[in-house]
Amino acid sequence: MESVIKSVDWNLIIRLRDGDESAFREVFDQYSQKIYGLAYHFLKNREQSKEVVQETMLRLWEHRLQLNSEYPLAPWLYTIARRVTLNMLRQTATSQAARKKLWLTMHPEHNETEEAILAADLERLTSHILNTLPVQQQMVFRLSRFEGLTYEEIAARMNISVHTVKYHLTGALKTLRACFNQAEILFPLLLLFLSK
């Protein structure tokens, strides 16, 4: 399944970079409703949510040459959509009271479908990046982040020093951060989903 999704995204990205408008239409058809839903969840305004979709897609087209075919489109699009939405919120919420009200309405609620899609995309991308790491770095990262083991527990299980565990974990996080920055995905967002 992952390779099918990756090949579809790869194909779309290559076509987008070549200026293929039909590829842009495919992306628009596939993601516009999801982006609209994400924006509406925060903005509670149909017109503004439509503007977020338009602005996100405009940025996609303007920055298509910077897209990396190694990474899926969805996390990149959602990151851009969130930025545009937050900018719109800042512009809309001019008074302290309005900001407080917006924060109270958007903070405790979560769109589970949107989060599930984003989490799946981030998980797929993270898995792809992890598979490129040296084997020991992969193992240390997985034991730390996925199994929740301490440095000492990882050291004992892998028969290495705590210092080596820290070294490998730092290296893995540095690689992940660099890849996510290249894909324009917020690294703290990744850590948030990894910690769930």
Side-chain angles (χ1 to χ4, degrees):
M1 180 69 176
E2 181 181 335
S3 61
V4 171
I5 291 168
K6 189 178 173 205
S7 68
V8 169
D9 273 7
W10 179 84
N11 187 323
L12 275 175
I13 290 168
I14 297 301
R15 288 166 55 208
L16 280 170
R17 289 173 63 172
D18 287 341
D20 184 340
E21 291 181 18
S22 66
F24 178 78
R25 183 85 214 148
E26 283 179 47
V27 173
F28 186 89
D29 290 344
Q30 186 175 347
Y31 292 104
S32 59
Q33 280 302 109
K34 294 171 187 171
I35 293 169
Y36 176 88
L38 177 138
Y40 189 81
H41 175 71
F42 293 112
L43 297 168
K44 307 291 191 249
N45 180 296
R46 288 183 179 147
E47 289 308 310
Q48 288 181 327
S49 300
K50 287 177 186 175
E51 283 181 44
V52 170
V53 173
Q54 296 300 324
E55 182 63 25
T56 302
M57 292 301 171
L58 178 64
R59 291 189 189 187
L60 169 67
W61 187 253
E62 287 175 345
H63 299 287
R64 65 188 183 279
L65 295 178
Q66 297 167 19
L67 292 172
N68 188 331
S69 58
E70 289 294 308
Y71 303 112
L73 272 173
W76 188 90
L77 286 169
Y78 297 146
T79 299
I80 297 303
R82 281 179 186 267
R83 285 182 192 162
V84 173
T85 301
L86 289 174
N87 286 340
M88 199 165 285
L89 279 172
R90 285 189 200 105
Q91 292 165 8
T92 304
T94 52
S95 71
Q96 189 69 24
R99 279 195 201 98
K100 187 174 180 182
K101 184 180 174 189
L102 280 168
W103 179 250
L104 289 172
T105 60
M106 71 184 244
H107 187 60
E109 298 174 10
H110 296 286
N111 182 329
E112 291 179 13
T113 303
E114 166 216 322
E115 286 195 358
I117 291 167
L118 184 56
D121 288 333
L122 288 172
E123 192 176 314
R124 202 166 34 248
L125 180 55
T126 304
S127 177
H128 172 73
I129 297 167
L130 283 178
N131 289 336
T132 67
L133 297 176
V135 175
Q136 273 205 315
Q137 270 190 19
Q138 284 186 46
M139 287 177 65
V140 167
F141 185 89
R142 290 178 196 281
L143 291 171
S144 171
R145 290 300 188 264
F146 298 152
E147 295 188 29
L149 300 184
T150 65
Y151 290 164
E152 291 76 14
E153 289 169 334
I154 296 169
R157 184 177 291 191
M158 294 181 66
N159 200 24
I160 56 177
S161 71
V162 171
H163 176 76
T164 304
V165 170
K166 289 180 184 176
Y167 173 80
H168 284 311
L169 189 56
T170 301
L173 288 170
K174 187 175 177 183
T175 302
L176 281 165
R177 184 179 287 111
C179 291
F180 274 82
N181 283 342
Q182 186 178 358
E184 288 201 20
I185 296 165
L186 302 174
F187 189 69
L189 187 65
L190 164 69
L191 293 182
L192 175 69
F193 281 105
L194 287 180
S195 65
K196 286 186 175 180

